[in-house]
Amino acid sequence: MGKTLNDNQRIAVNHEDGPMLVLAGPGSGKTTVILCRLRRLLSENRDKHKKVLVVTFTKAAATQMKERFRESGSDGVLFATFHSLFFRILRRTYGYSSEKILGEDEKYKILQNILAEKDWSLNDPDEFIAQFIMQASYMRNELLTPMEFIPVGTEREMFRQMYRAYDSYKERHGKLDFDDMLLLCYELFMEEQSTLAFWQEKFSYIMVDEFQDVNRVQYECIRLLAAPKNNLFVVGDDDQSIYGFRGSCPDFLLEFERQYPNCESVILDTNYRSTDRILSLAGKVIEVNENRFAKNLKGVNGQGEKVSFFLAEDTTAEAEKVAEKISHLLEDGIDLNEIAVIYRTNLQGGAFARALYRRGIPYNIRDGGGNIYDHWIAKDILAYLTLGESQDGDSALRRIINKPKRYISKDLLEEAQRMPYTLFRSFFVCPSLKKWQEENLERLRQDFEQIGKRKPYEGINYIRRVIGYDEYLEEYAAFRKSSGKAFIEIAAEITEIAKNTDNLQEFRKNLEEMSRQMQEQFGDKTTRRGITLSTMHGAKGLEFYAVFLPSLTEGVVPHERALEELEEERRLFYVAITRTKEKLCLSATRNRYGKEMKPSRFLKEMGLDVDEIFTKKT
């Protein structure tokens, strides 16, 4: 872009006092605008006793902005995240030290200990804790109490019990977590006018980046801090508000002008990243949303190449085709780090990781969503296959004996374990064994024999369909008040791993290899050279020469669990499209895990006539 500002950027940079809303489309140079305005404010140096506050969402973003600024004598500015700013305020008011703050690992251990004391029947305690943390965070960010809040994916009473126990622990030990910082700061501002006045005087101007990502408590705190002068300069894009699950909402941007009637506003609508063809497709999709500011992005990079589309038979074939296209790009001299595969959910990454691994192409998984190859569902399936080979596996049998329900009680299990034989044989000689229990166990023996006759792929399908493991997953999900489809999809992805394997040893080896790779990815914090594999959420803020957007089918994009939030799903897709500079490849699958698929409505909104492609037999 160079050092020359365009007209709208100049309007933003030269804004004087009072509130201002800067709507910054993707690739429109918003960081340049923030830094240029910051330099101008500091050069005017109106009050040496006051600072300009620049608030960002992540420590990395704050550090990057600070490094880009590198202004000599920059004592007049404070770059901060919301958490670091609010902790600074709490430390000065209450004398809090950093030792009071619970790290994420410490928080996890506390919750594990609380859960260990409960007699709840949970297959995966870690998954339950992760869900609890997300829901508790959302509740507090929305300024709700446990009695007002209805959790998603966790049974209400279980959530409340966990929350009470966790809150009690923090109180007894004098600890805070990151959400407490925001909540305590809000309460402090509301209750202590003198403290609020002190901090209001501290900053002459406040600038907030990525304002579309603020949640309720952050919004209220910043609003209080900026009063009464309201020298509040916010930069964001309502079309890129994609963190609804954290409480972020485009409404704070959309209502800004109503909150501040004297607000000035400007749209940064020149995109310096993408070609016109890409911007045109992105624009067609996002303009379908009703709850947004109207914008029309203009590019400076010419028309560019045509966007490509292909239809694959299934997810494995799609991943292979993407890997093949990536290898051609690499042969053409495109840098590894300039290529990304961006998908809707973490689960989808495995197919692309496997396809790239087979071709020896290095990759980086940007956002780890857990290692599904080490998931309890994978362990259950492996246990069944192991018992299909030999019924002597006691630990494998204990794992699946009531998956699905066979009504083998805890007492009967303990009785069998006291017998001198292998566990499965022991059940049949237990004095307390009922006739109907014996029939269930005999049926299970026959199932093991059937599994043993099959290759892993057919064996897993037998476990899921005939034995009824998928039904068990649905029932367990209903008990957990979570999504059965999510569990079924994990089982389906594990099934995919078994394709083209001849025996249990080969399947186990594949699972262990993928699990090892995932652990390496999640454990390695350094940025290695490789193709970026990322969810749409994880790709926000990034840009690449070439981007692949796969599996554009209904139920995946938009996701079936998010159809009530269709506008946010559309914003998420918009973010994904606008990551690319030159090449964009869209794809879809005719089938997904054996189910026939329909094209994503977003493809139609782009103007692509894909119905005919889907119905045409290849």
Side-chain angles (χ1 to χ4, degrees):
M1 185 171 69
K3 294 179 181 177
T4 310
L5 298 174
N6 64 44
D7 290 345
N8 287 4
Q9 287 176 326
R10 202 171 289 111
I11 290 168
V13 168
N14 292 328
H15 174 70
E16 293 292 338
D17 295 352
M20 182 165 203
L21 170 63
V22 180
L23 291 165
S28 63
K30 67 182 178 68
T31 306
T32 297
V33 164
I34 291 169
L35 296 179
C36 285
R37 181 168 189 261
L38 186 54
R39 287 192 181 94
R40 188 182 68 73
L41 292 174
L42 291 177
S43 67
E44 292 173 5
N45 199 21
R46 300 176 182 200
D47 189 341
K48 289 182 180 178
H49 301 293
K50 292 188 178 182
K51 289 195 172 193
V52 178
L53 171 64
V54 180
V55 185
T56 64
F57 269 80
T58 64
K59 190 176 179 182
T63 304
Q64 188 180 33
M65 205 174 278
K66 199 172 184 178
E67 286 172 358
R68 274 186 67 174
F69 188 62
R70 281 190 187 145
E71 186 81 5
S72 55
S74 60
D75 294 339
V77 59
L78 172 65
F79 292 98
T81 63
F82 279 102
H83 287 101
S84 69
L85 169 66
F86 294 161
F87 183 64
R88 179 183 287 243
I89 292 167
L90 294 174
R91 187 174 57 198
R92 189 188 184 282
T93 306
Y94 300 121
Y96 287 160
S97 65
S98 56
E99 284 73 39
K100 283 185 79 74
I101 306 299
L102 284 174
E104 289 305 299
D105 289 347
E106 191 180 356
K107 179 177 177 177
Y108 225 91
K109 281 179 184 139
I110 292 162
L111 291 169
Q112 280 178 322
N113 291 338
I114 292 170
L115 194 57
E117 293 170 7
K118 308 288 183 186
D119 60 352
W120 299 334
S121 176
L122 297 170
N123 269 321
D124 191 342
D126 288 342
E127 184 185 46
F128 176 84
I129 291 168
Q131 190 69 23
F132 169 80
I133 289 171
M134 189 167 79
Q135 291 291 296
S137 183
Y138 180 87
M139 178 187 77
R140 288 186 284 178
N141 288 338
E142 285 290 289
L143 298 174
L144 296 171
T145 66
M147 295 310 290
E148 296 169 314
F149 182 63
I150 300 171
V152 178
T154 306
E155 202 277 323
R156 196 170 185 177
E157 188 51 39
M158 289 165 81
F159 175 85
R160 286 177 181 172
Q161 285 187 39
M162 281 293 286
Y163 189 80
R164 281 196 296 268
Y166 176 54
D167 222 29
S168 173
Y169 177 93
K170 287 186 296 181
E171 203 172 312
R172 288 196 313 273
H173 294 85
K175 294 282 190 177
L176 301 172
D177 65 17
F178 285 104
D179 293 320
D180 292 327
M181 287 188 215
L182 308 186
L183 209 52
L184 284 172
C185 204
Y186 171 70
E187 289 168 357
L188 175 65
F189 284 171
M190 293 296 286
E191 294 163 12
E192 299 289 339
Q193 284 301 309
S194 58
T195 302
L196 176 59
F198 171 84
W199 288 100
Q200 286 171 336
E201 274 296 306
K202 195 90 174 161
F203 304 114
S204 53
Y205 295 91
I206 297 175
M207 301 167 76
V208 184
D209 190 17
E210 304 282 13
F211 196 73
Q212 77 278 351
D213 292 340
V214 297
N215 57 42
R216 172 65 60 189
V217 68
Q218 290 166 338
Y219 175 73
E220 295 297 343
C221 285
I222 285 293
R223 196 171 61 80
L224 289 165
L225 198 56
K229 292 179 181 175
N230 295 327
N231 289 332
L232 182 57
F233 183 93
V234 302
V235 184
D237 183 5
D238 51 306
D239 290 334
Q240 295 186 74
S241 178
I242 59 172
Y243 296 116
F245 60 92
R246 294 183 196 161
S248 302
C249 175
D251 290 353
F252 299 124
L253 259 183
L254 295 166
E255 293 172 9
F256 194 80
E257 290 173 309
R258 187 175 60 78
Q259 184 78 50
Y260 299 99
N262 63 331
C263 166
E264 287 186 35
S265 63
V266 68
I267 298 175
L268 305 185
D269 55 5
T270 302
N271 176 286
Y272 295 92
R273 177 186 300 150
S274 308
T275 62
D276 289 345
R277 278 195 167 110
I278 290 161
L279 293 177
S280 171
L281 288 179
K284 283 178 184 175
V285 172
I286 201 63
E287 69 186 15
V288 178
N289 275 2
E290 293 176 6
N291 190 33
R292 67 184 290 264
F293 288 105
K295 307 175 205 67
N296 183 26
L297 290 184
K298 304 182 293 283
V300 298
N301 295 315
Q303 193 174 24
E305 295 182 25
K306 284 185 178 179
V307 172
S308 65
F309 173 84
F310 72 85
L311 179 67
E313 193 56 38
D314 57 24
T315 53
T316 302
E318 181 183 44
E320 285 300 326
K321 183 77 170 173
V322 167
E324 181 189 330
K325 285 178 174 287
I326 286 173
S327 67
H328 292 325
L329 287 174
L330 296 174
E331 286 166 12
D332 291 342
I334 306 302
D335 193 277
L336 279 164
N337 291 351
E338 282 290 336
I339 305 170
V341 184
I342 302 175
Y343 36 81
R344 177 60 182 85
T345 65
N346 272 302
L347 192 62
Q348 292 171 262
F352 299 100
R354 292 196 298 276
L356 292 171
Y357 175 73
R358 281 193 288 269
R359 288 177 178 266
I361 300 173
Y363 62 87
N364 288 312
I365 297 180
R366 181 163 172 80
D367 39 358
N371 182 355
I372 69 148
Y373 307 105
D374 197 38
H375 195 275
W376 59 265
I377 292 174
K379 290 176 180 174
D380 285 355
I381 288 170
L382 202 52
Y384 265 113
L385 293 176
T386 301
L387 290 160
E389 222 176 48
S390 166
Q391 295 169 18
D392 295 342
D394 288 4
S395 62
L397 185 61
R398 274 193 298 272
R399 182 171 193 94
I400 56 86
I401 191 66
N402 281 313
K403 298 178 182 181
K405 212 71 173 147
R406 296 184 179 91
Y407 303 98
I408 304 302
S409 67
K410 196 175 177 182
D411 289 342
L412 179 60
L413 180 61
E414 287 174 356
E415 186 181 347
Q417 286 178 148
R418 289 194 293 270
M419 296 289 177
Y421 314 111
T422 60
L423 183 60
F424 196 61
R425 188 181 168 198
S426 294
F427 278 124
F428 291 94
V429 295
C430 285
S432 66
L433 183 72
K434 307 282 192 302
K435 179 69 177 168
W436 55 267
Q437 288 175 319
E438 186 177 353
E439 287 169 0
N440 285 345
L441 287 167
E442 186 53 48
R443 198 173 301 118
L444 182 59
R445 188 206 299 275
Q446 291 166 14
D447 285 332
F448 290 155
E449 287 173 0
Q450 288 300 319
I451 292 167
K453 293 174 184 175
R454 291 163 164 79
K455 287 185 178 180
Y457 182 73
E458 289 75 25
I460 295 173
N461 279 311
Y462 183 91
I463 294 160
R464 294 176 60 199
R465 312 275 188 267
V466 181
I467 294 178
Y469 185 73
D470 279 9
E471 286 174 31
Y472 159 74
L473 292 177
E474 295 275 11
E475 286 170 12
Y476 178 68
F479 158 71
R480 277 279 314 278
K481 298 283 191 294
S482 61
S483 167
K485 286 181 179 175
F487 287 151
I488 299 293
E489 202 165 321
I490 291 170
E493 176 62 14
I494 300 303
T495 310
E496 287 293 302
I497 300 280
K499 269 187 178 174
N500 305 317
T501 58
D502 289 327
N503 51 55
L504 174 60
Q505 287 68 36
E506 198 178 335
F507 170 66
R508 193 196 301 271
K509 186 182 171 187
N510 284 3
L511 261 188
E512 288 172 352
E513 178 55 36
M514 288 309 299
S515 180
R516 184 188 64 77
Q517 284 188 59
M518 293 295 152
Q519 283 166 351
E520 281 180 7
Q521 287 282 332
F522 304 150
D524 186 2
K525 300 299 179 191
T526 61
T527 307
R528 298 173 299 178
R529 288 175 54 72
I531 306 302
T532 296
L533 301 181
S534 175
T535 62
M536 292 178 178
H537 283 103
K540 187 167 174 284
L542 305 179
E543 60 179 34
F544 305 92
Y545 172 82
V547 167
F548 293 84
L549 298 183
S551 300
L552 302 181
T553 53
E554 284 292 302
V556 182
V557 181
H559 201 275
E560 61 194 351
R561 294 203 303 276
L563 289 177
E564 290 177 9
E565 302 293 337
L566 191 55
E567 292 217 345
E568 179 154 324
E569 284 293 294
R570 198 172 277 113
R571 291 193 294 268
L572 195 53
F573 186 53
Y574 175 76
V575 165
I577 296 170
T578 54
R579 297 310 92 203
T580 189
K581 294 186 263 191
E582 295 278 344
K583 286 181 179 288
L584 179 62
C585 180
L586 312 173
S587 62
T589 61
R590 198 186 299 280
N591 297 286
R592 181 172 176 79
Y593 302 139
K595 179 186 167 189
E596 199 167 304
M597 305 302 287
K598 293 179 180 177
S600 168
R601 68 192 74 189
F602 298 158
L603 291 171
K604 297 174 192 176
E605 290 167 5
M606 283 176 160
L608 272 68
D609 186 14
V610 288
D611 279 326
E612 192 182 336
I613 301 171
F614 267 71
T615 52
K616 196 187 295 176
K617 295 297 175 191
T618 50

